Amino acid sequence: MKDGYSFHSSEEDLVREFNLMEATYKKVYTRLGLDFRVVAADSGAIGGSGSKEFHVLADSGEDTIVVCPDCEYGANIEAANRKSRSFDYSVCGELTKVETVDTKTIEEVAAFLNIPKSQTIKAVIKKAIYEDKTQIVVFFVRGDDELEETKACNSVNALELDEISENEIIEAGLVAGYCGPFGLPSNITFVIDNEIKDSKGLACGANEINYHLINTDLSTLKDIKYYDLVAVQESDSCSCCGGALKYTKGIEAGHIFQLGTRYSSAMNANFLDENGKAKPFIMGCYGIGVSRLVAAVIEQNHDDKGCIWTKETAPFMVDIIVSNSKKEEEAQAGEKIYEDLKAAGVQVLLDDRINARFGFKMGDFELIGFPYAIIIGKRLLEGFVEIVDRKTLEKTDVKIETVVSKILELIK
């Protein structure tokens, strides 16, 4: 890892440095020739007021990220948001309790009431785990949405969420399959998704077996905690430009955090302000996964023959392959081109192995993946050598006296 920390006397200065580091990291990844996205991220156990991840796009990536093809928006799926959907479900009459025998799932409720799933409220019951206690929490989202567990965990400041058994649900005074935000036991903590705040006309559980409520009005609920709880789906609308969001895979190769005073306060890392008063440093944290970047370059640049290093990352720019090192004229030509390229400042490797066959040398070049190879072989007597582009595997005959200038041209 390349790790860095910054220390500030104000939030404004932290944000300034955070933005500067984001721009700096972008330049690093761009210069390395990588296809990457900067995504909003959950700060996780490290904490702080905000963080961004840098993902190299690759099918083998371990993280699912949400991106918009029409703008620069990107987010880890745990932190992604979308443009709010709007529905108009008018309340037709008073709040009514309807008998809905054996209709526990959203699909069953919607079919029974002859309404779309988006007109229902889904209840997800979890156990919130804290350092000193465990607490049952109910999360409410629109019926056609799914709960994003990290968002849900953050909404109640828990360490993690755990599954809950049917017996534990019953002991808590809840009714599985018929749970709703109206009339919950007073000791139960619950959170409602932002998108259904003050919604009217939705159907939900009546907290009584075999019964649901219709014609609800969430604006009548008091002292309710609302939070973004929804897992963004593909084709949802981008909150920035309205484009259709899509999933892709990424390799996390960098992460920057606005830590605030979480660590400085705990360690009494203070400074004296202009009035001589001790205050905790406001901190930022910045890291690039150097070894991950090496792997990410190859994940994004390879074929079935092997690696294809970008020009900015290649250990050597040119591999000079002497077809038959036992032939003195080929060996001497290879040595001269090697020295000339070195003198021109090119990182070059000379493969003049005597006991290795030409096919084996070419196989190594294709496997290791330096950007270019110069092949000294049969046409040397005619004054020609061959340049091979590793990315395309195209071969070009070049006069030996112009090969160095040609390589310099290709590198630029």
Side-chain angles (χ1 to χ4, degrees):
M1 288 291 295
K2 177 220 73 71
D3 275 335
Y5 296 85
S6 61
F7 302 85
H8 309 271
S9 60
S10 68
E11 289 286 345
E12 292 78 14
D13 196 52
L14 167 63
V15 172
R16 176 200 58 77
E17 185 70 15
F18 184 86
N19 292 338
L20 175 61
M21 290 302 291
E22 178 183 348
T24 302
Y25 278 23
K26 283 181 177 179
K27 289 180 180 178
V28 170
Y29 295 120
T30 300
R31 186 172 174 182
L32 290 175
L34 293 170
D35 184 12
F36 69 96
R37 279 292 183 115
V38 184
V39 303
D42 177 66
S43 296
I46 290 179
S49 60
S51 71
K52 290 186 177 182
E53 293 174 350
F54 296 78
H55 281 266
V56 177
L57 303 185
D59 291 338
S60 60
E62 74 274 66
D63 289 332
T64 298
I65 58 177
V66 179
V67 298
C68 177
D70 299 331
C71 72
E72 291 188 353
Y73 176 78
N76 191 300
I77 196 167
E78 299 169 349
N81 56 56
R82 68 187 182 194
K83 184 178 181 181
S84 294
R85 301 183 300 162
S86 60
F87 298 89
D88 183 14
Y89 297 122
S90 300
V91 176
C92 301
E94 297 181 353
L95 180 68
T96 304
K97 185 166 67 173
V98 178
E99 187 174 19
T100 52
V101 179
D102 294 332
T103 55
K104 291 186 175 183
T105 68
I106 290 296
E107 288 75 15
E108 290 168 343
V109 172
F112 184 89
L113 297 175
N114 193 29
I115 58 175
K117 290 192 295 182
S118 58
Q119 199 175 345
T120 66
I121 299 176
K122 180 189 297 181
V124 183
I125 307 172
K126 295 282 187 178
K127 285 192 295 187
I129 311 299
Y130 299 89
E131 288 184 355
D132 56 349
K133 65 177 181 178
T134 299
Q135 179 180 352
I136 293 175
V137 184
V138 185
F139 303 98
F140 293 106
V141 299
R142 196 181 291 276
D144 61 344
D145 278 327
E146 296 297 328
L147 181 74
E148 208 303 305
E149 195 154 307
T150 299
K151 292 181 179 180
C153 188
N154 291 339
S155 74
V156 292
N157 297 314
L159 297 176
E160 61 178 313
L161 297 179
D162 199 2
E163 299 301 320
I164 187 169
S165 69
E166 193 165 340
N167 284 338
E168 288 173 314
I169 292 175
I170 295 171
E171 289 172 4
L174 300 174
V175 185
Y178 300 93
C179 188
F182 297 88
L184 275 173
S186 59
N187 64 322
I188 295 297
T189 297
F190 66 98
V191 185
I192 299 178
D193 180 58
N194 283 336
E195 285 196 16
I196 55 174
K197 183 178 182 179
D198 296 337
S199 291
K200 298 179 180 180
L202 304 185
C204 65
N207 295 306
E208 182 180 342
I209 192 166
N210 291 330
Y211 284 93
H212 280 78
L213 298 177
I214 60 172
N215 298 325
T216 64
D217 182 355
L218 291 178
S219 67
T220 63
L221 295 171
K222 304 301 180 185
D223 301 321
I224 302 305
K225 183 171 187 177
Y226 291 96
Y227 202 88
D228 176 17
L229 300 174
V230 169
V232 171
Q233 303 295 322
E234 286 193 290
S235 78
D236 282 348
S237 296
C238 174
S239 57
C240 296
C241 73
L245 297 172
K246 69 173 187 176
Y247 290 168
T248 188
K249 288 291 187 179
I251 300 171
E252 184 188 344
H255 206 153
I256 57 178
F257 298 86
Q258 297 181 42
L259 297 177
T261 60
R262 174 176 180 176
Y263 298 97
S264 54
S265 294
M267 296 186 289
N268 293 317
N270 299 323
F271 69 97
L272 297 180
D273 67 9
E274 61 272 17
N275 298 315
K277 185 177 179 180
K279 290 184 178 179
F281 283 109
I282 300 170
M283 295 176 58
C285 175
Y286 320 94
I288 285 181
V290 178
S291 55
R292 273 180 164 241
L293 272 179
V294 174
V297 169
I298 299 308
E299 287 294 345
Q300 210 168 71
N301 299 276
H302 68 275
D303 58 18
D304 57 358
K305 295 179 182 294
C307 308
I308 305 175
W309 290 98
T310 64
K311 293 177 183 178
E312 295 79 8
T313 58
F316 293 93
M317 189 62 63
V318 180
D319 181 13
I320 299 174
I321 300 174
V322 179
S323 180
N324 187 349
S325 296
K326 294 178 181 178
K327 292 184 176 181
E328 186 175 349
E329 63 275 16
E330 290 188 16
Q332 288 178 350
E335 185 73 31
K336 184 177 187 310
I337 296 171
Y338 172 74
E339 294 296 340
D340 289 345
L341 284 172
K342 277 210 311 182
V346 177
Q347 292 173 306
V348 58
L349 183 73
L350 175 61
D351 189 352
D352 58 354
R353 290 174 288 177
I354 294 176
N355 296 321
R357 296 171 63 89
F358 171 70
F360 192 83
K361 294 177 182 179
M362 276 299 297
D364 279 352
F365 161 68
E366 292 170 346
L367 175 66
I368 298 172
F370 303 138
Y372 300 102
I374 297 173
I375 299 174
I376 300 167
K378 292 181 290 185
R379 296 204 63 193
L380 179 62
L381 293 178
E382 302 171 38
F384 286 92
V385 294
E386 231 175 20
I387 293 179
V388 183
D389 186 322
R390 175 60 186 88
K391 190 172 184 177
T392 63
L393 294 178
E394 291 180 355
K395 299 178 179 180
T396 306
D397 288 331
V398 179
K399 289 185 177 181
I400 193 167
E401 59 267 23
T402 65
V403 66
V404 171
S405 61
K406 182 63 177 177
I407 286 291
L408 293 175
E409 180 185 324
L410 290 171
I411 291 173
K412 292 177 181 178

